[in-house]
Amino acid sequence: MKTIDELLAEGVAGKRVFVRADLNVPLDGTTITDDGRIRAVLPTIAKLAEAGARVVVASHLGRPKGAPDPAFSLAPAAARLGELLGADVAFATDTVGESARAAVAGLTDGQVAVIENLRFNPGETSKDDAERGAFADQLAELADVYVGDGFGAVHRKHASVFDLPARLPHYAGYLIATEVGVLKKLTTDVQRPYAVVLGGAKVSDKLGVIDHLLERADRILIGGGMAYTFLKAQGHEVGSSLLQEDQIPAVREYLRRAEEKGVEFVLPVDVVVAPAFPDLKTKAPAHPTTVAADAMPEGQMGLDNGPETNKLYASKLADAATVFWNGPMGVFEHPDFADGTRAVAQALVDSPAFSVVGGGDSAAAVRILGFDENAFGHISTGGGASLEYLEGKTLPGLAALED
């Protein structure tokens, strides 16, 4: 795929450059709680503006139902982008309508505009090729060149990700080039030992990547809500913890295959439990206790790894040469259940391994818990995209940038 450096060498002054970014930031009302994704695309936008391009930035945010919804407006992200750029950023209140056309027409060389949430238009996510294509045609009228830099969306066959690049000269931005380069280090010529830490709520979300990693990883460490399905598959009671009963046969098969292939599966040996899920708004004390992972009492919910598990996991990561981490170890948003996630992050900071934090909640946790992002090898902006890449799937947004 052609890169933004090739585009810059060709010259962009006066050209309208459409940048498909990923500004899908978490919001508390209109307050951005983590601006990591905006900062990740900043080098591409800033470089284009510096070179005299008229930059049109587009993104989705959340999952609106194909119609405008103020709760999912990109206005806060546009304002934050302007703060980071140190320049005024125009904001269009629609995607391809009068406001968008006026915002783009009003740009001069080196200026930036953000158009409203792409998912306010049903054509963006439509499964109908014609409807998606019609929306891509309208977007193409706003630009002369396309730069794909929304890595968090490249696994989606959406109009702005898949169809629009076919209608314009297209290039990969700095973020996508970096993300792909990093993920290649996790799939080809991997430095060993290669350890993978998987967490998050549902084991079903990780089945494909576990299947893929059984052929490649040396160790797989499991935490988060998905751990309780693994513990149940081993015959342990898990109280009222999150459990996917229908996935137990698949989990047992993975454990069998791991043993057969010599892949070490590491599960919690103790867990932090509470009678109910904690209140994440008030952060009220949740009255946690720590119990052995094979002795969870009835009526108690597992919400984090325990201290012995934290020590065990740190020891399993200490000598790794490569680590991929996707998914928190517990409900890290509440102080009573953040220690497991904090322990994994600290273990990666302390390890000499090339460490990749695989986007989504893991990336948010690193920042929320106060870690220096530069202490990790790479913090991805795309949780789902990273996982699908590691599964060996073809990602539509990357395929669209190939020539």
Side-chain angles (χ1 to χ4, degrees):
M1 64 181 70
K2 290 183 179 179
T3 68
I4 186 175
D5 284 333
E6 293 173 85
L7 171 60
L8 291 166
E10 295 167 8
V12 293
K15 291 183 179 178
R16 300 170 303 162
V17 180
F18 187 103
V19 177
R20 202 328 180 163
D22 179 10
L23 308 181
N24 185 27
V25 292
L27 293 172
D28 182 1
T30 59
T31 301
I32 296 171
T33 57
D34 178 10
D35 67 357
R37 283 178 169 163
I38 302 175
R39 288 185 287 109
V41 75
L42 201 63
T44 290
I45 296 171
K47 196 72 172 180
L48 287 166
E50 182 185 308
R54 303 179 183 194
V55 186
V56 182
V57 181
S59 176
H60 71 285
L61 191 150
R63 297 189 177 186
K65 307 294 185 182
D69 183 338
F72 298 105
S73 175
L74 276 175
R80 181 58 179 150
L81 177 61
E83 291 172 358
L84 292 168
L85 286 170
D88 290 336
V89 169
F91 180 66
T93 57
D94 57 27
T95 57
V96 291
E98 184 178 335
S99 181
R101 291 193 298 271
V104 174
L107 291 174
T108 59
D109 294 3
Q111 290 188 326
V112 178
V114 175
I115 62 174
E116 186 55 286
N117 192 337
L118 292 164
R119 291 186 182 176
F120 286 1
N121 190 304
E124 170 68 1
T125 59
S126 177
K127 296 190 185 307
D128 181 82
D129 290 350
E131 184 179 15
R132 226 177 39 248
F135 183 47
D137 287 339
Q138 291 178 293
L139 290 171
E141 293 176 6
L142 300 176
D144 305 305
V145 181
Y146 177 93
V147 172
D149 215 28
F151 181 74
V154 293
H155 58 314
R156 305 294 188 193
K157 192 177 181 180
H158 290 170
S160 66
V161 176
F162 179 74
D163 302 273
L164 183 55
R167 289 157 167 78
L168 295 169
H170 46 269
Y171 303 80
Y174 291 124
L175 176 60
I176 278 187
T178 298
E179 295 272 14
V180 171
V182 166
L183 289 170
K184 284 182 177 177
K185 291 184 179 180
L186 300 179
T187 53
T188 58
D189 299 323
V190 181
Q191 297 297 305
R192 298 186 179 279
Y194 177 21
V196 176
V197 186
L198 296 177
K202 295 181 179 180
V203 68
S204 56
D205 293 340
K206 305 289 196 301
L207 288 177
V209 77
I210 292 172
D211 186 70
H212 189 75
L213 290 168
L214 282 173
E215 304 295 329
R216 290 160 180 81
D218 299 301
R219 292 174 203 143
I220 301 177
L221 288 61
I222 301 292
M226 63 186 286
Y228 303 103
T229 301
F230 278 86
L231 291 169
K232 183 72 172 180
Q234 289 188 325
H236 306 309
E237 292 304 318
V238 296
S240 58
S241 305
L242 183 64
L243 176 65
Q244 288 188 283
E245 292 265 11
D246 61 324
Q247 300 301 328
I248 288 176
V251 166
R252 285 183 176 144
E253 175 61 15
Y254 286 146
L255 292 170
R256 184 198 67 77
R257 282 176 55 198
E259 184 175 5
E260 181 182 272
K261 293 177 177 297
V263 176
E264 186 179 7
F265 245 103
V266 188
L267 299 176
V269 294
D270 63 345
V271 295
V272 180
V273 300
F277 196 84
D279 188 324
L280 299 183
K281 284 197 175 293
T282 66
K283 305 291 197 294
H287 309 294
T289 54
T290 300
V291 300
D294 60 359
M296 291 183 63
E298 188 176 342
Q300 293 286 314
M301 178 181 296
L303 295 165
D304 196 16
N305 287 347
E308 294 305 312
T309 301
N310 294 341
K311 292 176 189 174
L312 172 65
Y313 284 20
S315 72
K316 296 296 182 182
L317 297 172
D319 68 339
T322 305
V323 180
F324 173 70
W325 171 30
N326 181 280
M329 298 293 97
V331 187
F332 71 91
E333 301 93 338
H334 192 286
D336 288 344
F337 309 106
D339 285 351
T341 302
R342 183 181 290 108
V344 168
Q346 188 62 55
L348 296 192
V349 170
D350 295 339
S351 169
F354 174 68
S355 57
V356 178
V357 181
D361 287 340
S362 315
V366 163
R367 290 186 278 266
I368 289 169
L369 296 176
F371 287 90
D372 180 357
E373 295 180 47
N374 295 321
F376 303 88
H378 179 68
I379 297 181
S380 179
T381 57
S386 296
L387 290 176
E388 291 198 17
Y389 188 99
L390 292 182
E391 288 177 40
K393 291 183 177 179
T394 297
L395 306 188
L398 296 185
L401 293 176
E402 299 287 352
D403 290 304

